[in-house]
Amino acid sequence: MSCCDLAAAGQLGKASIMASDCEPALNQAEGRNPTLERYLGALREAKNDSEQFAALLLVTKAVKAGDIDAKTRRRIFDAVGFTFPNRLLTTKEAPDGCPDHVLRALGVALLACFCSDPELAAHPQVLNKIPILSTFLTARGDPDDAARRSMIDDTYQCLTAVAGTPRGPRHLIAGGTVSALCQAYLGHGYGFDQALALLVGLLAAAETQCWKEAEPDLLAVLRGLSEDFQKAEDASKFELCQLLPLFLPPTTVPPECYRDLQAGLARILGSKLSSWQRNPALKLAARLAHACGSDWIPAGSSGSKFLALLVNLACVEVRLALEETGTEVKEDVVTACYALMELGIQECTRCEQSLLKEPQKVQLVSVMKEAIGAVIHYLLQVGSEKQKEPFVFASVRILGAWLAEETSSLRKEVCQLLPFLVRYAKTLYEEAEEANDLSQQVANLAISPTTPGPTWPGDALRRDACFTSLMNTLMTSLPALVQQQGRLLLAANVATLGLLMARLLSTSPALQGTPASRGFFAAAILFLSQSHVARATPGSDQAVLALSPEYEGIWADLQELWFLGMQAFTGCVPLLPWLAPAALRSRWPQELLQLLGSVSPNSVKPEMVAAYQGVLVELARANRLCREAMRLQAGEETASHYRMAALEQCLSEP
C-alpha cells in the first residue's frame, strides 16, 4: 500500500467515523450492514499493518456519511484498538517516498476519531498520549503542508476532548500541555488561535495548577497579550479585555505589563462606549486593583486623572444598577465596581505618596458617598432569602470599607441599616460552614476568577488574611507593653483585642503554642491577674478585695476592657489545649484562689465572682493537673464560700 493510500485511509476513516456526530444510524430492524460486518471481521483478523490498512480502507468505503451511530463507531474502535495507532504515533521509519510525519498524522487522525467518544477520551491509552500530542503542537515543519495542518487540527481535537472529561484538565497540565500551548500561541503558527482557546479553558478549570506547572510560559503569553492590548485599535481590544483577566497570575502581575495594561484601559475608558464595551474594561481594572492595588497606575497627572476616571465610572455604574428598584443588577460588573471603589477609598485616605490631589479626593469622596447611599438602599431591600448570596456579601464588604474610614456621613441611613447588618453577621457566623466559601464566590463573581483564597473564619465582618497579620502584631507587642509604666490602658486594649481575635483564629498555626503565642498569653494573664489585691481594713479581721494602685486611677476606662478580656480568655481555654497547662505554670489559678480565700466574700461584687468562676471552671475542665492544683489550694471550700456552684461541681469530679 502506498503512502497516499495510507493517508487516504486515515482521512477517509476519520470522515466516516466522525460523521456519526451529525446523523443517526440507519439500522434496519436493529439489523447490521452485512458488508460492514464482513470488513470489520477482516479488520479484527488482520495479521500485519498492511492488512489493517487495507481493511480500514474497506470499512470506510462500506460506511456512507451519516450511516454510523455511536455503537457502530465503538465497534470500529474495538476492531482497530489502540495498538495500531500507538505504533503509528511512535514509528520512526516511514515507507519509501512517504514523509516521516504522515504516519503520525494517520495515528493522530484515528485517535481524534476515538476521542469523539467521551468514554474513549478518558481512556488511559489516550491519556498517556498527552505528552506525545503536546510535542506535535510545537514541531517545526512546512506550514503549508496539508498533512501537517491536518495533524495539528486533529491534535487540538484530541486535547480538547480530553479537557472536556472530568479529570482531563489535570492530566493535560501534568502532561506538559500548558507550556506547549503557550509556545504554540506565541509562535503564531498554524492553529495558534486553537491554542489560545484551549489555554482559556484550562485556566478557567484549574488556574492554580496551570500557574504552578507553567508560570514562565504563561507570563510570556500575558506579556504578549498586554502588548497586543496596548496596540489594538480595532474591536480586538474589547475581546482582549475579556481574555486578559484569565491570564493574570494569582499572585502579582509582572511590573513590565503595567504600562501596556494601563494605557490600553485608559484608551478604552476615556472613549464614549456602550455598556458591553465598557464593562469588560471595568472588570479588568478591578482584577488589577485587586492584585496590585494602585501600583499599576503611573504617578503624576496622567495617573491621577486615570484613577479619578476609574472611580467615577465605578460609582456611576453602582448608582445606575442599585438605585432603580426592579431593574436587573449585573452583579459581576457591580462587584468589579466595588473593587474600584475600595481602591478609591484607600487612595483618598492615604496621606503620603497618594496618586490623588486634594481637590480630586474631595470630589471622589462626594461621588463615593452617593454610591454608598445606593448600596445602603439596596441592602435595605434584601430579604432573608438572599442573605447567603455572594453579591449581598460583596455589598456588605464595600459598606464596611467605607465605614472603616467615614463614620459621620450617611449616619441616619447607616443606623437604619444596623439591624440588618447585625442580623446578617450573626446568621453567617452561626452558619459558618455554609458561608465558608462566600468570599471565594465573590471572587469568582468578578475580581479573582478562580483563585481560592484563605479559609474564611465564618464571620462576615472579620473573613480576612489581614487579621492573621494583625494577630501576629498584637502578640509581639503585648509582652513589652505590660512592662512599661504609663502604658496600662494601651496594653489593656491590645490584650483584649488579641484575646477576642484569638477565639476566631484559634486554628491558625500562629496560635498553636508558638513562642509568640505563649508570650502573648503570659502577658495577658499578667494584665488580668494584677488588677485586684487584698487590702487590710482597719477594725476588721478580714481583708477586702480592692483595685491595685496602678489600676485604680484609670479603672473607669479599664473596667469594660478587663471584663471583656476575662470573658475572651475563658473562651480561648477550650480552643487552645496548651493554654491551661501554661496558665497553671504561671500560678494564676492558684494565686486567684488564694486571693479569694484571703478576702471577705462580701467585698467581692457578683460580676467579679462570675468573671473569676468562668476562668477557673474552664481551666479545671480543660486539664486534670489544674483541678488537682485547685483542690490543693482549698478550691472546693472557696467555691462554696462564694457560691460558685459550677466550680464546686467541677472540682468534686475525678
Side-chain angles (χ1 to χ4, degrees), residues 164-180:
T165 63
R167 298 174 64 85
R170 182 180 302 180
H171 289 291
L172 291 174
I173 294 167
T177 302
V178 177
S179 291

Side-chain angles (χ1 to χ4, degrees), residues 251-448:
T251 50
T252 57
V253 178
E256 59 266 28
C257 297
Y258 289 170
R259 183 182 63 82
D260 289 335
L261 293 171
Q262 188 273 332
L265 282 172
R267 189 180 299 113
I268 289 176
L269 295 174
S271 306
K272 187 176 181 180
L273 302 170
S274 61
S275 59
W276 73 267
Q277 294 170 321
R278 181 179 60 253
N279 291 345
L282 290 173
K283 293 169 72 172
L284 174 58
R287 277 294 317 271
L288 289 166
H290 180 72
C292 314
S294 61
D295 292 345
W296 61 286
I297 302 176
S301 175
S302 63
S304 64
K305 289 180 181 178
F306 175 71
L307 177 58
L309 173 65
L310 270 183
V311 179
N312 273 287
L313 287 173
C315 291
V316 170
E317 194 70 35
V318 168
R319 291 188 63 189
L320 288 174
L322 301 184
E323 285 183 346
E324 294 294 329
T325 305
T327 58
E328 184 179 355
V329 177
K330 295 180 180 178
E331 296 180 351
D332 56 341
V333 178
V334 178
T335 304
C337 292
Y338 286 166
L340 297 175
M341 287 174 60
E342 279 199 53
L343 180 63
I345 292 170
Q346 292 169 9
E347 287 300 315
C348 284
T349 54
R350 180 178 293 180
C351 298
E352 298 179 359
Q353 297 181 334
S354 174
L355 291 172
L356 299 170
K357 298 176 181 177
E358 199 59 34
Q360 290 174 315
K361 291 183 179 181
V362 173
Q363 189 269 332
L364 288 183
V365 168
S366 176
V367 298
M368 286 192 290
K369 176 182 175 182
E370 294 173 346
I372 292 297
V375 174
I376 295 174
H377 172 75
Y378 166 76
L379 290 174
L380 284 170
Q381 302 174 67
V382 171
S384 58
E385 73 281 358
K386 289 189 174 182
Q387 286 194 11
K388 295 180 183 177
E389 293 184 1
F391 182 67
V392 176
F393 185 95
S395 301
V396 172
R397 174 192 169 107
I398 187 60
L399 177 60
W402 171 263
L403 292 177
E405 304 296 343
E406 174 55 76
T407 57
S408 58
S409 64
L410 298 173
R411 181 173 296 179
K412 180 180 177 181
E413 292 85 349
V414 171
C415 289
Q416 188 180 0
L417 187 64
L418 275 178
F420 165 81
L421 292 176
V422 173
R423 184 171 63 252
Y424 180 74
K426 183 179 179 182
T427 299
L428 293 190
Y429 184 76
E430 290 175 348
E431 301 177 13
E433 187 172 345
E434 291 183 27
N436 200 34
D437 64 342
L438 261 183
S439 57
Q440 178 57 34
Q441 291 183 46
V442 172
N444 290 342
L445 202 58
I447 300 175
S448 179

Side-chain angles (χ1 to χ4, degrees), residues 614-627:
V615 169
L616 291 170
V617 166
E618 288 301 333
L619 290 173
R621 286 174 177 168
N623 186 269
R624 178 181 58 82
L625 295 178
C626 279
R627 291 195 297 274

